[in-house]
Amino acid sequence: MDADAQVGRRGRLTVYLGAAPGVGKTYAMLSEARRRCERGTDVVVGYVETHGREHTTDMLDGLEVVPRREVSYRGTTFTEMDTDAVLARRPAVVCVDELAHTNVPGSTTEKRAEDVERLRVAGIDVITTVNIQHLESLNDEVERITGVRQRETVPDEVVRTADQIQLVDMSPDALRRRMAHGNIYRPEQVDASLTSYFRVGNLTALRELALLWLADRVDDALGDYRRAHRIEAPWPAKERIVVAVTGGPESETLLRRGARLAQRAAGSELLAVHVIANDGLANPDETRIARAQQLVASLGGTFHSVVGEDVSAAVVDFATGANATMVVVGVSRHGRVRRLFTGTTGDRIASLAGSIDVHLVTHGEVARTARSRWYLSPLSRRRQVVGLGLSVVLPLLLTLVLRLTDNPDQLPLDVLLFLAVTVLVALVGGLVPALVAALGGFLLMNWFFTPPVRDLTISDPANLVALLVFVAVAVGVATVVDRASRRATDAVRARTEAATLGALSRSVLTGQDTAEAIVERLREVFGQESVALLARGPAGWTVVADSGTSPACEPDAGDTRVQVDDDHVLVLCGSPLRATDQRVLEGFAVQTGLVLEYRRLREREERAAALERAEATSTSVLRAVSHDLRTPLATMRASVDGLVSGSLDEADRAELVAAVDSSTEQLERLIDNLLDLSRLESGLLHPVLRDRSLEEILPLAVAGQPEGSVVLELDESAPLVRTDAGLIERVVANLVANAVRVSGGTPVRVLAHVLPDTVDVLVVDRGPGVPEDRRSRMFEPFQRLGDTSAGGLGLGLAVARGLAEAVGGTLSAEDTPGGGLTMVLSIPRTSA
C-alpha cells in the first residue's frame, strides 16, 4: 500500500494475546511480519524485546528495524520506540512489542498504547503483543492467583477494539518444559520461576482467564454482526438462560432452577427479567423484587427490568435480543376458569419463542391465588356508611318527586335520573352502596313507574329491557367509578411511599443517615410511641438504636415487628399498622440493613487498614533487622574477634575499641527508635507536661554534635513552654542530627520564634532539601528518601513527629530561603 492510499484511513490493529509469559507471542508476531514481507508488504519493526531468546532473535533476520530513541532519566539512558521516525518512514505495517509498556518519563507519550494510536491515526497497520495479565480489568484477579501485582496495564478497550485478536496459548506442562530448557529465562532464574509464578495452577488459571476473556470478545463480535445484518433470530452459540420473574412468591424457585440449568454448561449466563406494565396499574411486591435481585447477584447472574404492555411479548423480545437459548417460566397461579378463557403467560411465551426453548417450572404456589375480595373498599368507613345511607334515601326521595309529577310516559327520563343517583352514590360510598342503589332503583321503577304499577310484573317487554339496561349500566358505571377511586387511592399512596422511600434512599446512599436517624424517621412517619432496632446476641436482645418516649420494647412485646436480617429486627410500639403500610415498612427494613452493612464494611475497612499498617510495619522491621541492625552487630563481632586474637598493638586495639563503642551507640539508637515507634503506635507513651524553659532543653539537645556544626540562637526572653522536657529534647536532637548529616559541612542553625500561642523551634540546614511532593511521605516510618547513609532505618522523623504530637506540639517542614530545609517544631506556650 502506497502512502497516498494510507491517507484518510485508520490503521488496522492486530493483537497477539499471550495466555502467559513465554508462550511465544513475540515469535508469532514476527512470523506474521515475515509472511507479509514475503507477500510484498512494506513491513518494519518499530520495537521488539527479544529478552535474549535465540529463536526470537533469529526471526528478526531480513526485517527492517527502525532504530530506537534514547531517553535520559535520572542519569541513566533508556531506549524507547521512535514513533516519529516510524511516522516519517510511513510503512504499511509496523510491529510493536509489549503494548502495555509505560514509557520512560520525559517521552512524548506516557504509554506505548498511545504511540500505537498515533500510528493508527496516520493510517499505518500495527501488529502488537500483550499478555493477559496486563489487561486492566484482570489485574486484581491475576494478583490473587499469582501473588504478583502487575504495574504495567493497558485498558481493556484498547485490546477489545482491535480488528483482530489472535490467542497464543500453550499447555502448562509444555510451557514449563520450555522454561526448564532455558528458552524463556536465564538458567539462574529457572528454578525460582518454576516454583513461583510458573506453577501449574497459576498457568492453568491464566489460561482460563485468557480463554474466557477472548470468548466474551468473540461474543461481542457475534452480537455486532447480528445487529449489522439485522439478524433477529437467536444463534445458540452460548447457553443463556432467561428467567421470567413476576415478583410472586415463586420467583426464587424459578431463579434457582434457572441457575441449575446454567451450571450444566460451562460459560453459561443467567439473566433474570422482570416486565413492568406500561399502564402503571400493576402493583408488584417490591420487597420480593429486591430479594430476587439479591438472589440473582448471589447466583452470578444479572437482573433486568423492561417495560412492556404484553408481558409475554416483552419476555420473548428480551430473550431474542440477548440471544438466549432458553426461557424459564413458572406455571400459572391463576385458577382453571381464568386459564380456560385467557390462557397463561407460559403458553403465550411458548407460542412466540420460535427457536428458543421454553422450560415450564411447577412450584408450590400453583392455583393458590388469593380470592378476590371485591367488596372491600379503599374508602374510609365514614364514606361507606354515608354512601349506604344515600343508596337508600336518594332513590326514595327521587321516587317521591317523580310520583308527584305522575307522568306515565316519562320512563326513559326516570331511568336516567335513577342512573344519575347511582353514579352519585358510587362517587360517595364506592361499589357496594352503588349496587344497593341500582337494585333499589330497579325495584322502585318496576313497582311505581312500569305498568302494571304496584306490581312486580312488567307488561311491556320494552320496559323490561329498559330496566335491565339500567341495572347493567348502573353496575358498570359503579364498577368503573369504584375502580377509578381505588386507582386514585393507590396512586396517592404510591406517591407518598415513593417520596418517603426516595428521601430515605438518598440519605442512606449519601452517607447522611445512621441507624438512629432511621428509627427516628420511622417513628415520625408511622406515628409510633417508640421504635427500636434490636440485635440478637449471646445474652439476648440488645438495643442498637431507639427513638421515642417509652422504653425500647422487646421483640415479643412490640405491636409491630419486621425482620431486617437474621440478627436484627425493628420493633414498633404504638398503634397497629395497616396492611398497606407493610411495603413502606419493608423498605425501611431494607434501608436499615444497608446502614448496618455500611457500618460493618467501615469497621472491616478500618480493621483491614490497621492490619495493613501493622503488616507494613512488621515487614519494614524485619527488613531493617535483616540489614541495618546486622551492620553494627557485624562490626562489633569483627572488632571483638580482633581484640581476642591478642596480636594487635595499642593503636589497633584503640581503633577496634572505638569501633565497638560507635557500633554499640548506633545499635542503641536504632533500638530506641524502634521502641519509641512501638510505644507511639500502641498508645503506651504517657508524657509528663510541665512549664519548661527552652534555655534548659535546647543546649542539651545539640550537645552531642561535632563542634562548629550547630549554631544555637536563643533569646533569653523567650517564654516558658508547656511540654515534657525529655521528649522535646529527643525530638530536637533527632532533627539536629539529621540536619547535620545532610548539610554538607555548613553549620545548622537552631533558633526560636515566639508566637501568640506557641514557640516555634526552627532547625535550619543548607542541604539538598526535600521536594514538596515528597514531604508528606518523609514523616512515615521507614522512609529514607534517598538517604543511603549507614545505620538508619528511616524512623527518625516518624518518631520525632509522634513524640511532638504526644506532648501537644506539631512538626512540619518548610523550604529554607536560598536552599535547604527548615524543620518547624511548634510547642504550646504555658497558660500563665
Side-chain angles (χ1 to χ4, degrees), residues 669-810:
R669 185 168 60 253
L670 296 176
I671 293 176
D672 286 342
N673 280 335
L674 286 173
L675 292 176
D676 287 339
L677 181 65
S678 176
R679 286 195 293 265
L680 286 170
E681 291 187 345
S682 61
L684 298 178
L685 188 66
H686 303 291
V688 178
L689 303 181
R690 295 178 180 175
D691 293 342
R692 295 289 186 179
S693 171
L694 291 178
E695 290 184 320
E696 304 173 1
I697 300 174
L698 297 185
L700 296 176
V702 302
Q705 301 303 322
E707 185 177 355
S709 61
V710 180
V711 177
L712 179 60
E713 303 175 9
L714 183 60
D715 188 354
E716 296 180 357
S717 62
L720 299 178
V721 293
R722 187 73 174 175
T723 187
D724 186 308
L727 296 182
I728 286 297
E729 178 185 336
R730 294 190 57 187
V731 172
V732 177
N734 200 324
L735 298 178
V736 172
N738 285 341
V740 170
R741 187 170 61 251
V742 301
S743 62
T746 303
V748 174
R749 298 174 60 205
V750 179
L751 58 153
H753 282 177
V754 179
L755 299 177
D757 299 321
T758 63
V759 176
D760 288 354
V761 177
L762 309 181
V763 179
V764 184
D765 67 63
R766 291 294 181 179
V770 177
E772 186 175 356
D773 58 343
R774 304 177 67 184
R775 290 180 193 166
S776 59
R777 294 176 49 208
M778 64 187 296
F779 293 103
E780 297 176 3
F782 306 102
Q783 298 295 325
R784 301 291 295 273
L785 297 182
D787 183 6
T788 59
S789 59
L793 294 179
L795 293 177
L797 291 180
V799 171
R801 170 171 276 188
L803 295 177
E805 293 176 349
V807 298
T810 61

Side-chain angles (χ1 to χ4, degrees), residues 3-237:
D4 294 335
Q6 290 178 281
V7 177
R9 66 176 289 272
R10 180 177 174 81
R12 292 175 55 84
L13 177 62
T14 302
V15 176
Y16 282 86
L17 179 65
V23 293
K25 62 185 183 302
T26 303
Y27 188 93
M29 177 187 70
L30 296 177
S31 298
E32 174 66 18
R34 294 174 70 91
R35 283 193 297 270
R36 296 197 184 193
C37 279
E38 292 172 358
R39 294 196 299 264
T41 305
D42 183 15
V43 180
V44 301
V45 176
Y47 185 94
V48 165
E49 188 60 64
T50 63
H51 297 286
R53 298 166 188 168
E54 180 181 355
H55 298 295
T56 304
T57 304
D58 293 340
M59 293 298 296
L60 288 172
D61 292 342
L63 294 176
E64 179 184 348
V65 179
V66 177
R68 300 184 184 181
R69 177 172 53 88
E70 294 185 352
V71 180
S72 296
Y73 179 66
R74 291 186 176 179
T76 305
T77 301
F78 300 89
T79 60
E80 295 286 359
M81 181 178 68
D82 194 341
T83 307
D84 294 332
V86 175
L87 291 172
R89 169 66 173 75
R90 296 196 65 81
V93 180
V94 60
C95 296
V96 181
D97 203 7
E98 298 182 354
L99 180 63
H101 172 74
T102 301
N103 293 330
V104 176
S107 302
T108 306
T109 56
E110 180 181 357
K111 303 285 290 187
R112 185 163 292 162
E114 299 175 20
D115 294 327
V116 169
E117 179 64 19
R118 290 181 60 195
L119 296 174
R120 294 184 66 191
V121 170
I124 301 174
D125 295 343
V126 178
I127 308 175
T128 187
T129 65
V130 69
N131 279 332
I132 191 67
Q133 69 265 24
H134 293 296
L135 294 181
E136 199 168 79
S137 66
L138 302 179
N139 202 0
D140 293 337
E141 285 79 0
V142 172
E143 183 181 10
R144 282 194 292 268
I145 293 170
T146 64
V148 178
R149 184 77 176 179
Q150 301 296 329
R151 301 188 179 278
E152 292 190 330
T153 60
V154 62
D156 290 40
E157 192 64 22
V158 174
V159 182
R160 189 178 293 274
T161 56
D163 299 280
Q164 180 180 351
I165 302 177
Q166 181 69 42
L167 179 64
V168 183
D169 190 16
M170 184 177 293
S171 68
D173 291 336
L175 184 57
R176 286 170 59 85
R177 283 196 299 271
R178 286 196 65 196
M179 173 72 70
H181 293 159
N183 294 330
I184 300 178
Y185 293 152
R186 294 190 299 272
E188 61 270 18
Q189 297 176 299
V190 171
D191 291 339
S193 299
L194 288 176
T195 57
S196 57
Y197 193 92
F198 284 82
R199 294 196 300 267
V200 173
N202 290 356
L203 297 177
T204 303
L206 290 175
R207 192 183 191 193
E208 183 179 13
L209 280 179
L211 292 172
L212 291 176
W213 189 91
L214 191 60
D216 289 338
R217 173 66 179 87
V218 173
D219 190 67
D220 292 341
L222 178 61
D224 294 340
Y225 179 85
R226 292 178 62 237
R227 284 188 293 270
H229 292 78
R230 297 182 180 178
I231 300 175
E232 298 181 357
W235 286 5

Side-chain angles (χ1 to χ4, degrees), residues 168 194 265 453 516 582 627 658 713:
V168 183
L194 288 176
V453 295
E516 291 76 9
Q582 188 64 27
H627 181 267
E713 303 175 9

Side-chain angles (χ1 to χ4, degrees), residues 399-437:
T399 301
L400 180 60
V401 172
L402 294 176
R403 287 290 296 168
L404 293 176
T405 60
D406 196 17
N407 186 353
D409 298 327
Q410 63 179 9
L411 182 60
L413 177 62
D414 297 342
V415 171
L416 293 177
L417 292 175
F418 274 98
L419 181 60
V421 168
T422 304
V423 172
L424 177 61
V425 171
L427 290 173
V428 175
L431 179 61
V432 173
L435 295 179
V436 173

Side-chain angles (χ1 to χ4, degrees), residues 220-496:
D220 292 341
L222 178 61
D224 294 340
Y225 179 85
R226 292 178 62 237
R227 284 188 293 270
H229 292 78
R230 297 182 180 178
I231 300 175
E232 298 181 357
W235 286 5
K238 180 180 181 180
E239 286 291 335
R240 287 186 178 86
I241 312 298
V242 173
V243 181
V245 177
T246 62
E250 76 281 1
S251 298
E252 295 184 5
T253 302
L254 300 182
L255 289 172
R256 291 190 175 93
R257 180 64 60 84
R260 289 198 296 271
L261 292 173
Q263 291 171 358
R264 295 177 182 176
S268 299
E269 292 184 16
L270 175 66
L271 301 93
V273 57
H274 172 63
V275 180
I276 302 173
N278 57 10
D279 57 6
L281 299 182
N283 193 19
D285 192 330
E286 298 295 339
T287 303
R288 286 200 174 103
I289 294 296
R291 291 175 182 171
Q293 291 177 336
Q294 296 175 356
L295 179 59
V296 171
S298 66
L299 295 174
T302 57
F303 191 92
H304 307 267
S305 295
V306 298
V307 178
E309 182 177 354
D310 187 343
V311 174
S312 304
V315 171
V316 173
D317 291 342
F318 175 83
T320 303
N323 199 20
T325 56
M326 181 182 296
V327 175
V328 177
V329 62
V331 175
S332 175
R333 291 183 283 118
H334 297 150
R336 294 181 180 178
V337 176
R338 181 170 177 178
R339 282 184 285 173
L340 177 63
F341 287 98
T342 64
T344 65
T345 302
D347 295 337
R348 291 193 292 272
I349 289 177
S351 63
L352 298 173
S355 60
I356 303 176
D357 296 336
V358 178
H359 191 83
L360 198 62
V361 178
T362 187
H363 48 84
E365 301 298 326
V366 175
R368 288 188 184 177
T369 306
R371 295 180 179 179
S372 176
R373 301 166 70 179
W374 57 270
Y375 53 85
L376 294 181
S377 175
L379 302 178
S380 65
R381 180 67 59 86
R382 179 174 177 275
R383 287 186 59 179
Q384 295 181 55
V385 172
V386 172
L388 286 174
L390 293 178
S391 67
V392 176
V393 173
L394 290 182
L396 292 176
L397 290 177
L398 180 60
T399 301
L400 180 60
V401 172
L402 294 176
R403 287 290 296 168
L404 293 176
T405 60
D406 196 17
N407 186 353
D409 298 327
Q410 63 179 9
L411 182 60
L413 177 62
D414 297 342
V415 171
L416 293 177
L417 292 175
F418 274 98
L419 181 60
V421 168
T422 304
V423 172
L424 177 61
V425 171
L427 290 173
V428 175
L431 179 61
V432 173
L435 295 179
V436 173
L439 180 60
F442 173 82
L443 295 176
L444 289 173
M445 284 188 292
N446 185 8
W447 184 267
F448 289 106
F449 303 111
T450 55
V453 295
R454 293 184 175 82
D455 193 344
L456 293 179
T457 60
I458 301 175
S459 59
D460 189 352
N463 293 335
L464 177 62
V465 172
L467 293 180
L468 292 178
V469 170
F470 158 74
V471 173
V473 173
V475 170
V477 171
T479 302
V480 171
V481 171
D482 178 76
R483 182 169 297 179
S485 176
R486 290 174 185 268
R487 296 306 182 194
T489 303
D490 291 342
V492 173
R493 184 183 299 112
R495 185 166 61 248
T496 304

